[in-house]
Amino acid sequence: MSPSGRIVICGGGVIGAAIAYFLSLRGVRPLVIERHEIAGAASGKSGGFLALDWCRGTPLDRLARRSFALHAELAETLGNPWGYRRLATYAGQAVEGKTLGRPSRLPWLGESVAITGQIGGPETTALVEPRAFTTGLMHASGAEVKRGTVVGLADGGVVLEGGEIVEGDAVVIAMGPWSNFEGLPQVFGLKGHSLVFKTGDAIPAEALFLEYQEASGEVLTPEIFPRADGTVWACAISSTSSLPRDPADVMADAGAHARLEALCRSLAPALAAAPIVARQACFRPVTEDGLPLIGKVPGLDGVYVATGHSVWGMLNAPATGEAMAGLILDGAARHVDLAPFVPRLPRR
Ligand SMILES: Cc1cc2nc3c(=O)[nH]c(=O)nc-3n(C[C@H](O)[C@H](O)[C@H](O)COP(=O)(O)OP(=O)(O)OC[C@H]3O[C@@H](n4cnc5c(N)ncnc54)[C@H](O)[C@@H]3O)c2cc1C
């Protein structure tokens, strides 16, 4: 397709924003159709944690490595309004109500946490504030953003709720867990809850992945990420509750935030005292085989899909955007092999 053609991107999450940005580097000004708000779903509420090589040994390895490098380049090129920072990353254990007896090697943590090892350093792990990253890329792309609900595909475009047809020479479906269209493998939504604490400079650039045993015996796996803007993002509680049709209707499960708050407050004095500035819930897009869908939709002219990035959507957005721009404009991606992600039915 030539750069003068019209490209319509359905969905203003991080994947849609990254595709828009990399298309703009090739002189294309795409149209983005968003139902709710840019970064209003998982892309504005996620952890924003990035790792160079945590996908090694899987089909995602190349995509992740390319993306990790692109994140550093994007922060440099676009002035880093999203607080991109490198950090050290640790694993640890905690048991509710117990002191584990081993001295924690991280001074900001309380005695209930035992660090079991360092699992990443500034060369291999990094963090972004996801809402600022997504809106920053979208803004830098210069894309036209239209409010609308995509309900189907038309010949040479998409159909919006209410019947309007938006024409495009190419259409990209990037609606996260809402990307279910006939002829594509199914995309599901897996819910996660998170809290954002205001901690100022009390917690250094040290991310934490924990195993936390509650008094009931249940084991949770909290993730604690200190951001460059003086906040700390924390999650631990996923659920299988169903995906609402409208992204604006996503709500937390009853009791999930209180349970997460109690857990976080027990881990460190700085978290015990900190005000909470956001209580969030969102759905990560997942596929049956665990791999994203990135490519041309078979049998449909000019229709592409990019979704299903699960827990690595913030990480893998830049390389996905770059690859999609290459695929649409040149017929192939240059830096990554998209073969494992081709959206065909069945995909096994
Ligand atoms: C709790 C949690 C923590 C996470 N932490 C990390 C992390 O640390 N690192 C990492 O790399 N990834 C992380 N992820 C994963 C990451 O957030 C997602 O993979 C990523 O945000 C998905 O982006 P997306 O653009 O595909 O989808 P979304 O962000 O869901 O965006 C889809 C967009 O499409 C819009 N839309 C939906 N339906 C329609 C329609 N009919 N018409 C028009 N628009 C529509 C929605 O409003 C939304 O804006 C996390 C996810 C969760 C849930």
Side-chain angles (χ1 to χ4, degrees):
M1 207 197 97
S2 96
S4 60
R6 190 182 207 208
I7 300 178
V8 176
I9 299 171
C10 308
V14 72
I15 301 300
I19 296 168
Y21 176 75
F22 281 95
L23 283 170
S24 76
L25 297 185
R26 300 284 307 274
V28 177
R29 184 171 182 239
L31 171 71
V32 175
I33 303 176
E34 167 55 46
R35 175 176 186 155
H36 170 44
E37 63 182 60
I38 301 299
S43 300
K45 297 172 182 166
S46 85
F49 182 80
L50 317 172
L52 170 72
D53 53 1
W54 289 19
C55 297
R56 65 179 166 273
T58 79
L60 286 170
D61 190 46
R62 183 90 204 221
L63 192 72
R65 287 175 188 272
R66 176 72 188 154
S67 253
F68 193 80
L70 285 173
H71 267 285
E73 276 180 43
L74 288 169
E76 175 130 3
T77 314
L78 297 175
N80 193 16
W82 45 81
Y84 171 85
R85 67 179 342 189
R86 300 293 188 115
L87 33 59
T89 301
Y90 296 88
Q93 288 175 342
V95 178
E96 186 175 0
K98 283 205 178 143
T99 298
L100 287 185
R102 272 191 282 163
S104 157
R105 279 185 279 128
L106 303 181
W108 60 272
L109 284 168
E111 289 182 353
S112 65
V113 182
I115 294 298
T116 52
Q118 182 166 352
I119 52 177
E123 297 309 310
T124 58
T125 53
L127 199 66
V128 294
E129 197 288 293
R131 182 180 298 273
F133 179 68
T134 303
T135 55
L137 275 193
M138 192 64 92
H139 179 72
S141 78
E144 183 188 344
V145 177
K146 178 181 170 72
R147 186 85 185 260
T149 299
V150 176
V151 292
L153 297 168
D155 197 12
V158 292
V159 188
L160 303 191
E161 201 165 64
E164 183 186 349
I165 292 182
V166 179
E167 290 180 354
D169 299 294
V171 167
V172 185
I173 301 160
M175 303 192 307
W178 294 274
S179 301
N180 283 303
F181 280 87
E182 207 175 312
L184 283 177
Q186 200 173 352
V187 187
F188 306 89
L190 186 61
K191 196 180 203 175
H193 299 83
S194 57
L195 296 174
V196 182
F197 295 85
K198 183 90 192 146
T199 51
D201 57 6
I203 299 186
E206 294 173 339
L208 195 59
F209 286 75
L210 283 182
E211 263 192 16
Y212 180 95
Q213 189 181 327
E214 291 187 310
S216 65
E218 189 169 343
V219 176
L220 300 174
T221 51
E223 299 174 6
I224 314 280
F225 303 148
R227 292 178 167 164
D229 62 2
T231 63
V232 168
W233 180 96
C235 77
I237 295 160
S238 296
S239 94
T240 52
S241 50
S242 57
L243 181 77
R245 191 173 161 266
D246 187 341
D249 292 339
V250 174
M251 309 282 257
D253 292 359
H257 283 143
R259 188 176 168 200
L260 178 57
E261 179 178 347
L263 183 165
C264 292
R265 296 217 182 276
S266 75
L267 297 177
L271 290 175
I276 292 173
V277 293
R279 292 176 166 81
Q280 310 176 125
C282 60
F283 286 83
R284 60 185 68 113
V286 293
T287 58
E288 210 158 342
D289 65 8
L291 294 177
L293 307 171
I294 310 173
K296 197 172 169 318
V297 177
L300 292 176
D301 235 19
V303 182
Y304 300 80
V305 65
T307 187
H309 290 72
S310 187
V311 296
W312 288 122
M314 299 312 303
L315 169 64
N316 287 328
T320 299
E322 183 188 53
M324 286 298 292
L327 186 63
I328 296 168
L329 297 177
D330 309 325
R334 256 182 64 211
H335 294 280
V336 291
D337 175 13
L338 293 179
F341 315 125
V342 169
R344 64 173 85 84
L345 269 176
R347 199 173 64 156
R348 274 185 185 280

